[in-house]
Amino acid sequence: MLTDEQIAKAKMEVVLRDAHHEHNDCIRMAYEWLDAQKKTKTKTKAAHPLKHIIERWCGRYVSQSDVEIAAYLHPQVVGKYPFYNISTRLTEPSARRLVGIGEAFAHSDTYRNRPDTYAVRE
């Protein structure tokens, strides 16, 4: 799991316009979601509303900045939001990935639902 030190360093290294971060756990959850996705050789040309998809999976508000920092920290993810090298056939990550992340499901009444976004389940 990402440490607070790794996240703080990434926040300083990545220049984001209008960056907004509420909690480091949001970056951890975005990282876990990205980690579950199948990586491709090239960046996708199809834009998915990634932050919203991640929010519905983890049951908590996640900013675009959180997703960008998570992508920066992930060694296999390249590209710029929302055009990363992940398959357009999205994988629904296992809820086990959220174990130990305290902010998971903190806003579940607002965000948690399962649309037909995913082609595959982990």
Side-chain angles (χ1 to χ4, degrees):
M1 186 165 311
L2 298 174
T3 66
D4 285 337
E5 292 78 23
Q6 290 171 304
I7 292 170
K9 183 176 182 225
K11 286 178 184 177
M12 290 179 17
E13 292 173 352
V14 178
V15 178
L16 299 173
R17 185 178 157 162
D18 301 324
H20 173 72
H21 306 286
E22 287 188 17
H23 199 284
N24 284 346
D25 279 353
C26 299
I27 295 168
R28 290 182 182 99
M29 291 182 288
Y31 183 95
E32 289 298 327
W33 188 92
L34 288 167
D35 190 57
Q37 303 310 304
K38 181 180 179 192
K39 310 311 179 282
T40 58
K41 291 180 182 179
T42 59
K43 296 173 237 169
T44 184
K45 291 180 172 70
H48 285 290
L50 297 180
K51 78 171 240 63
H52 299 297
I53 295 168
I54 295 168
E55 288 171 342
R56 288 192 299 265
W57 171 67
C58 69
R60 198 217 191 276
Y61 172 80
V62 174
S63 70
Q64 179 177 322
S65 302
D66 294 331
V67 178
E68 291 176 275
I69 295 295
Y72 173 79
L73 286 166
H74 199 289
Q76 296 173 319
V77 175
V78 296
K80 297 277 187 194
Y81 185 92
F83 304 105
Y84 297 119
N85 65 321
I86 60 173
S87 173
T88 56
R89 291 179 41 85
L90 299 177
T91 299
E92 180 180 15
S94 169
R96 289 183 302 239
R97 288 179 171 272
L98 298 171
V99 171
I101 301 178
E103 288 293 308
F105 308 113
H107 303 158
S108 60
D109 294 341
T110 306
Y111 291 104
R112 186 73 174 154
N113 62 36
R114 293 181 181 263
D116 292 328
T117 303
Y118 298 104
V120 181
R121 283 199 172 136
E122 186 177 42

